[in-house]
């Protein structure tokens, strides 16, 4: 109840970030009025530029020209399909670079600033279609403005903690409230985000002419990585039989789009 009051007090409102596409993404999203899309994209651009500068200084930026071109070619095919979910994203300043790192990871910031780590390419050894699945997945996070949604949630949760502390006068209550917020509010949201990104990424790949079933083989490869350490990219949503089953259903649903796009 405290969190519900906090959501209202923080000025959250329903926002329609994307159309549903053929995959049917229609969940209502709540964004805080104090967290604008433009401000978050501006901050993302600044942070991205700083990261690229650091990577360049460390000689870790696009060290393999062929590898970088391959990633960019795949990304460009996917970017041409973003209008199906949100036409305004066609005018974003999309950018993708390859960073030299052992991490199995990739990401896309608000506004379309992306990176793929060499660890993902070297350890997963993805086909072009599998690489399209992971890049499309990360692009979907930006299209749905998941980062902005999480920031809004954190603002609401922080206000809820302040209210709870004021009511109880107890510092211990703040710790309890924090744990409750993470379990009941933040964590379920992140799983929802990953599922949405999976499904939207599959559709983007299919529309770009990449076999959507490659998403299934990709996440199986992720799950099979040895060494007892989970890839960073799976930290919020571990690969599982449930996820694989959902991807299989999503791939089957958008397969006609792939067949249409793949026609000569």
């Amino acid at each position: 109840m405290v969190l519900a009051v906090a959501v209202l007090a923080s000025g959250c409102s329903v926002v329609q970030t994307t159309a549903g596409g053929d995959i049917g993404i229609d969940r209502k999203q709540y964004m805080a009025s104090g967290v604008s899309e433009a401000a978050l994209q501006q901050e993302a651009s600044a942070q991205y530029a700083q990261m690229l500068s650091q990577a360049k200084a460390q000689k870790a930026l696009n060290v393999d020209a062929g590898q970088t071109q391959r990633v960019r070619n795949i990304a460009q095919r996917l970017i041409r399909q973003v209008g199906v979910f949100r036409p305004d994203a066609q005018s974003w300043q999309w950018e993708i670079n390859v960073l030299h790192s052992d991490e199995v990871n990739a990401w896309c910031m608000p506004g379309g600033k992306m990176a793929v780590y060499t660890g993902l390419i070297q350890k997963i050894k993805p086909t072009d279609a599998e690489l399209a699945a992971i890049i499309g997945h990360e692009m979907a996070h930006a299209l749905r403005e998941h980062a902005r949604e999480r920031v809004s949630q954190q603002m609401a949760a922080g206000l809820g903690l302040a209210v709870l502390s004021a009511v109880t006068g107890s510092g211990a209550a703040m710790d309890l409230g924090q744990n409750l917020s993470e379990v009941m509010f933040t964590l379920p949201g992140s799983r929802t985000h990953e599922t949405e990104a999976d499904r939207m990424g599959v559709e983007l790949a299919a529309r770009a002419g990449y076999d959507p079933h490659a998403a299934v083989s990709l996440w199986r490869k992720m799950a099979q990585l040895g060494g007892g350490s989970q890839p960073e990219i799976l930290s919020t949503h571990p690969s599982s039989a449930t996820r694989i089953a959902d991807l299989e259903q999503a791939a089957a649903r958008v397969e006609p789009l792939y067949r249409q796009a793949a026609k000569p």
Side-chain angles (χ1 to χ4, degrees):
M1 183 173 65
V2 170
L3 282 177
V5 172
V7 169
L8 294 175
S10 62
C12 285
S13 58
V14 178
V15 175
Q16 186 73 26
T17 59
T18 64
D22 280 29
I23 206 64
I25 302 298
D26 59 3
R27 178 181 61 88
K28 292 181 179 179
Q29 294 174 275
Y30 293 86
M31 305 291 189
S33 58
V35 184
S36 72
E37 176 189 1
L40 210 58
Q41 288 191 12
Q42 184 177 8
E43 177 63 25
S45 293
Q47 290 186 15
Y48 189 72
Q50 183 178 9
M51 283 186 282
L52 294 188
S53 178
Q54 292 174 347
K56 186 175 182 180
Q58 297 166 359
K59 301 187 185 305
L61 177 64
N62 300 324
V63 295
D64 183 326
Q67 187 180 76
T68 300
Q69 193 58 54
R70 178 194 178 204
V71 168
R72 287 178 172 171
N73 288 343
I74 293 170
Q76 284 302 317
R77 284 176 59 175
L78 294 167
I79 290 167
R80 287 195 287 269
Q81 308 304 319
V82 299
V84 70
F85 289 112
R86 54 182 301 168
D88 68 306
Q90 294 173 308
S91 62
W92 286 1
Q93 299 301 305
W94 294 91
E95 185 176 354
I96 188 164
N97 289 280
V98 179
L99 304 183
H100 184 73
S101 169
D102 288 337
E103 280 188 54
V104 178
N105 204 8
W107 42 262
C108 182
M109 302 176 80
K113 303 301 185 184
M114 295 181 277
V116 174
Y117 290 6
T118 54
L120 185 149
I121 297 172
Q122 294 166 356
K123 295 178 182 180
I124 298 297
K125 294 180 171 51
T127 64
D128 282 1
E130 289 172 341
L131 197 50
I134 191 61
I135 295 173
H137 171 102
E138 299 306 326
M139 288 170 58
H141 281 306
L143 294 172
R144 281 291 279 173
E145 295 187 54
H146 285 155
R148 183 180 169 206
E149 190 174 12
R150 290 295 296 271
V151 170
S152 297
Q153 291 171 353
Q154 295 290 4
M155 287 181 63
L159 183 55
L161 291 176
V163 171
L164 185 60
S165 178
V167 170
T168 63
S170 169
M174 291 187 67
D175 293 334
L176 176 63
Q178 182 176 354
N179 291 334
L180 181 63
S181 173
E182 290 176 353
V183 173
M184 297 299 295
F185 194 43
T186 305
L187 293 180
S190 67
R191 294 189 182 100
T192 297
H193 291 174
E194 291 301 314
T195 298
E196 288 181 347
D198 277 351
R199 295 174 182 177
M200 289 175 64
V202 163
E203 180 167 342
L204 286 171
R207 289 181 177 275
Y210 293 106
D211 186 350
H213 294 280
V216 176
S217 58
L218 169 76
W219 295 108
R220 282 179 175 153
K221 285 182 179 180
M222 291 282 194
Q224 291 169 358
L225 279 184
S229 59
Q230 184 185 73
E232 178 66 24
I233 203 166
L234 296 179
S235 60
T236 58
H237 194 316
S239 184
S240 65
T242 300
R243 185 177 202 174
I244 295 298
D246 188 78
L247 281 167
E248 288 174 336
Q249 291 178 6
R253 187 167 181 173
V254 301
E255 187 169 353
L257 298 174
Y258 163 61
R259 294 190 180 280
Q260 181 64 32
K263 283 183 180 180

